Amino acid sequence: MFNIVMALAASQIIVASPDKEAEIRIAADGASYSVYRKGEPIVSASPMGLELSNAADFSDLEMVDVKKQSQRRDIPLTATKSKAARDWYNGVVVTFREKTGAHRTLSVEARAANEGVAFRYRLPKDAPVVLKGERTAYRLPNDPACEVSEYGGSHENTWALKKISELDRAKLYDVPVVCSSASGRTHYAIAQSGIEAYASSGLVPVDGGLKVRVTPHPDRKEIAIDSAAGLTSAWRVIMMGDRAGDLIESPLIGNLATQASGDFSWVKPGKAAWDWWSGPTAGEKPTMERFRRFIDFAAKSGFPYFLIDAGWPLNATPCCDADPKTDITQSNPAIDMPALVNYAQAKGVGLILWAHWKHVEPRMQEVLDTYQRWGIKGVKVDFMERDDQEMVQFYVRLAQETAKRHLLLDMHGAFPPDGLARTYPNYITQEGVMGLEYNKFAWGQVTPGHNVKLAYTRMLLGPMDYTPGGFRNSTPETYVAHEVMPMTRTTRGQALAQYVVFDSPLQMVSDDPAAYANASGFEFLKDVPTAWDETRFIDGDPESHVVLARRKGGVWYVGAMTNEHSRTVAIPLAFLGGGTFKADIWQDGATANDVEHVVKSISSRDVLQIRMSGGGGGAITIKPVH
């Protein structure tokens, strides 16, 4: 099926992808690796290995065993960007042993798929492991320009195109880092997957590249991982494709994760009315009347959920803290939660509740049992703002426990996805993104260019709860900050396009119901799905625009977004196949709050155009004509 090539001097092992375009090469002494695509170096010889705290680091290694791997399968998926994921790769598990001393062993598992390569470390379970970090680095040839974001606890930052040599060595950078090769024939993203038995990490600038910095324990800064028996590290991932947009389609992050087991057919994707974005940051006073208004709006619009944000529990305090007096197993005296659930259920709407993680963690089972008993459909847990080993374990336990109770899980103040949603499909979305909420503040930087870049950066890793749906639209020049009933810095056309472009199987409809009354384009928002059978990148690049097509059943949806510059994009329709179709096109209209709606008869031979104003966008629904 594939070749493991070993040089005469046994200097390296080369594992090639099924299409033979991607290669990962591992040195015979386990000290370095390199990555190639189409014969071009993507990562030049770079350090690999572990930094131990409870023992001397591994040294003087020799290769003692090589086990081949090969996989050819299609993985059925639940509520995500495609109906199935092709998981084809070639791989090896290389075991190294010290020539002297304790003769300890270290294994490296490496995979090469058409979509990229990955590797991780394994230590046997016969001894405890305390890890300071990793030696792993990425030496990137020719000082590439990369899309980077500074690392922060909430992972809510802007993205900038910078050469590796221009990065600030006093700062840490987030995953992914998205670059192009010297020839421009390969675009790649440095990422991670499978951190559930590990911790997350950031990237530190070093000479000629980046080095992995595993997040340390919050109260023991000198260590990152403490394991009672052996170790399986996170996957170090290099996603690769011909175009930057090809990485959007990639299933690689999820394929590397532990796959789901059991029945998740109960997971229901869809849109949710939401009561926080349009109101004050501290939250509004909870009343049955106010919550019923959002439920009625969701029901009338065909949305399956209403997310009740901060302020609903007993003794709740404003927004962001975790007051010990707050009890999230009881509601505010003004709220009869069982009655509210019954009211919503009678209208076909499920309720999702917000909670601070510090209120969930110490009594997780009691809290979730209560919500299950009430008939709640999901939880939004917030303000973790950490990604160390202890916090990663909190995510895993919460995903497990919500799955047992058939509850959806949405994490905010969260680290970026790492494949855990593939293991627990009820973990339906998460934040870890500078999203729409920053439009509430004059200092927010959710610009049109930022939104375009998100499609090529943060979104590569998994679902992204950007919380779109602001319908008081403007342009960057006409935007005025309002905390209550805020504006967006983009047009209505882009507001609609975000529902196609931004990947989130649980998708917010963030504005107040009044904003949608007789609103231009709201028919599209009501109709567009949130989970898909197929996703295709059509056109664009991170510095200008993005056009994506997504299919649900026999219907295609196209979303196009531009940065601050106006442009018209051509969309070839060859992906449609045979037959005739009706295209409903919504594109920027006379003002930022208007869209022009045009209906056309089309076929796969046609090319549609969308005209976008600066900060704008457009959306298309394409249905077969029977």
Side-chain angles (χ1 to χ4, degrees), residues 134 192 235 352:
E134 296 183 19
Q192 63 181 357
W235 288 100
I352 299 171

Side-chain angles (χ1 to χ4, degrees), residues 183-205:
S183 71
R185 295 195 306 269
T186 292
H187 292 256
Y188 61 97
I190 296 170
Q192 63 181 357
S193 181
I195 70 171
E196 66 268 17
Y198 207 63
S200 190
S201 60
L203 297 165
V204 181

Side-chain angles (χ1 to χ4, degrees), residues 367-380:
V367 167
L368 300 180
D369 284 344
T370 299
Y371 297 170
Q372 184 183 38
R373 185 174 67 251
W374 285 349
I376 299 300
K377 298 301 182 183
V379 290
K380 173 183 174 180

Side-chain angles (χ1 to χ4, degrees), residues 61-78:
L61 293 173
E62 63 179 347
M63 193 187 317
V64 294
D65 187 54
V66 178
K67 289 186 170 63
K68 297 181 182 181
Q69 297 177 331
S70 183
Q71 183 68 261
R72 304 289 187 273
R73 63 175 174 174
D74 290 328
I75 304 171
L77 302 181
T78 300

Side-chain angles (χ1 to χ4, degrees), residues 228-468:
L231 178 79
T232 299
S233 78
W235 288 100
R236 302 294 162 216
V237 186
I238 301 96
M239 306 169 69
M240 294 186 281
D242 291 340
R243 304 172 295 175
D246 292 337
L247 305 183
I248 297 171
E249 301 177 22
S250 175
L252 188 58
I253 300 297
N255 287 355
L256 290 163
T258 302
Q259 300 306 304
S261 62
D263 177 22
F264 284 92
S265 61
W266 55 271
V267 173
K268 182 180 181 182
K271 293 184 283 289
W274 184 34
D275 68 335
W276 182 84
W277 187 73
S278 57
T281 302
E284 290 193 40
K285 182 179 179 181
T287 68
M288 294 290 280
E289 179 183 13
R290 185 165 73 87
F291 290 163
R292 287 189 186 117
R293 184 169 74 94
F294 280 88
I295 292 168
D296 290 347
F297 164 69
K300 182 180 179 181
S301 304
F303 304 151
Y305 301 110
F306 166 43
L307 194 159
I308 304 176
D309 215 278
W312 69 266
L314 181 67
N315 299 322
T317 51
C319 178
C320 312
D321 58 1
D323 194 302
K325 297 189 297 294
T326 301
D327 186 351
I328 61 170
T329 65
Q330 299 186 62
S331 57
N332 183 288
I335 304 300
D336 183 339
M337 191 60 72
L340 194 68
V341 170
N342 289 337
Y343 179 84
Q345 286 180 342
K347 292 176 173 285
V349 176
L351 301 186
I352 299 171
L353 297 181
W354 180 96
H356 197 294
W357 83 273
K358 290 183 178 178
H359 290 141
V360 174
E361 195 274 337
R363 51 195 301 211
M364 185 184 295
Q365 296 202 13
E366 179 188 359
V367 167
L368 300 180
D369 284 344
T370 299
Y371 297 170
Q372 184 183 38
R373 185 174 67 251
W374 285 349
I376 299 300
K377 298 301 182 183
V379 290
K380 173 183 174 180
V381 181
D382 207 346
F383 290 113
M384 291 74 63
E385 298 184 348
R386 286 169 39 199
D387 59 8
D388 54 86
Q389 185 182 21
E390 292 177 357
M391 184 55 73
V392 169
Q393 285 306 302
F394 170 72
Y395 277 58
V396 173
R397 287 192 297 116
L398 187 56
Q400 291 171 339
E401 295 299 326
T402 50
K404 288 178 186 177
R405 295 163 177 82
H406 287 199
L407 295 170
L408 300 179
L409 176 60
D410 174 7
M411 301 292 264
H412 271 233
F415 54 75
D418 65 292
L420 191 62
R422 183 71 74 86
T423 314
Y424 301 99
N426 65 299
Y427 182 16
I428 196 166
T429 194
Q430 65 196 89
E431 197 180 27
V433 63
M434 180 181 280
L436 185 77
E437 65 184 4
Y438 283 81
N439 279 303
K440 291 169 75 74
F441 314 111
W443 45 263
Q445 299 180 64
V446 187
T447 63
H450 169 77
N451 291 340
V452 168
K453 288 189 178 191
L454 289 179
Y456 297 94
T457 54
R458 160 63 180 84
M459 198 176 75
L460 304 182
L461 305 180
M464 180 175 83
D465 199 14
Y466 174 94
T467 66

